[in-house]
């Protein structure tokens, strides 16, 4: 297994197909366009690949905030359904921990949908804490 950065190469379509397992409101074209847009603002995509194909995909950014200092925020993280429970997620998390140290980041953050219980168990096992409630307001309209 190895971690690679997303490029528009022979793996590109396979990476998008795995990411679509998490981001189901997109299609290949709209997902590709959104990734391009976000990359212009520092969003990065990495993936785990083996001889079997694309095993997992993660989108993230490095930033600084008053509350967290320099940190990594994992925006998207999905293990290909064909390869779950094989250590791929742990492999990718270990990469993130090393990358955070390399970039001088003191923290890694992510949000996870309240319904994703298996993911929560994984994050807790990997050393994450449930540190806050995330509040959102969608469909904002002028009052």
């Amino acid at each position: 297994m190895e971690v690679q950065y997303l490029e528009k190469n022979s793996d590109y379509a396979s990476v998008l197909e795995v990411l679509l397992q998490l981001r189901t409101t997109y299609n290949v074209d709209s997902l590709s366009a959104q990734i391009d847009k976000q990359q212009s603002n520092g969003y990065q995509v990495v993936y785990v690949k083996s001889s079997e194909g694309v095993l997992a995909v993660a989108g993230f950014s490095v930033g600084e905030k008053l509350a967290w200092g320099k940190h990594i925020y994992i925006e998207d993280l999905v293990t290909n359904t064909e390869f779950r429970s094989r250590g791929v997620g742990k492999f990718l998390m270990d990469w993130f921990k090393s990358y955070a140290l390399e970039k001088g980041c003191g923290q890694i953050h992510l949000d996870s949908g309240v319904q994703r219980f298996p993911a929560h168990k994984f994050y807790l096992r990997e050393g994450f804490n449930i540190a806050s409630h995330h509040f959102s307001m969608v469909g904002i309209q002028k009052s």
Side-chain angles (χ1 to χ4, degrees):
M1 285 189 290
E2 65 177 324
V3 175
Q4 297 184 13
Y5 287 89
L6 179 65
E7 297 178 25
K8 292 199 175 171
N9 60 19
S10 60
D11 292 332
Y12 190 76
S14 297
V15 169
L16 294 184
E17 289 298 330
V18 173
L19 196 50
L20 285 168
Q21 293 175 15
L22 178 67
R23 300 296 177 213
T24 58
T25 59
Y26 290 90
N27 62 43
V28 170
D29 293 333
S30 62
L31 182 62
S32 179
Q34 186 62 36
I35 287 171
D36 287 346
K37 184 189 298 186
Q38 287 180 218
Q39 283 179 322
S40 69
N41 291 312
Y43 179 74
Q44 301 176 64
V45 177
V46 294
Y47 61 99
V48 178
K49 183 179 179 182
S50 78
S51 60
E52 296 179 272
V54 175
L55 310 180
V57 178
F60 69 99
S61 55
V62 175
E64 290 197 43
K65 295 190 181 302
L66 290 173
W68 301 340
K70 190 170 182 184
H71 65 279
I72 291 175
Y73 183 79
I74 301 172
E75 300 178 32
D76 308 290
L77 176 63
V78 59
T79 299
N80 188 332
T81 55
E82 296 176 42
F83 301 103
R84 292 195 178 144
S85 300
R86 292 194 191 177
V88 177
K90 178 167 181 27
F91 180 83
L92 187 52
M93 263 320 144
D94 288 345
W95 181 87
F96 270 116
K97 292 169 188 173
S98 294
Y99 185 82
L101 292 171
E102 176 187 316
K103 296 298 180 186
C105 298
Q107 299 186 21
I108 300 173
H109 290 263
L110 58 82
D111 286 317
S112 182
V114 295
Q115 77 285 1
R116 299 188 69 222
F117 298 115
H120 303 163
K121 286 175 63 175
F122 168 73
Y123 298 137
L124 292 168
R125 196 169 54 245
E126 286 300 307
F128 283 84
N129 298 308
I130 301 172
S132 67
H133 293 283
H134 177 94
F135 294 88
S136 63
M137 184 181 295
V138 297
I140 299 171
Q141 299 177 356
K142 201 171 191 174
S143 52

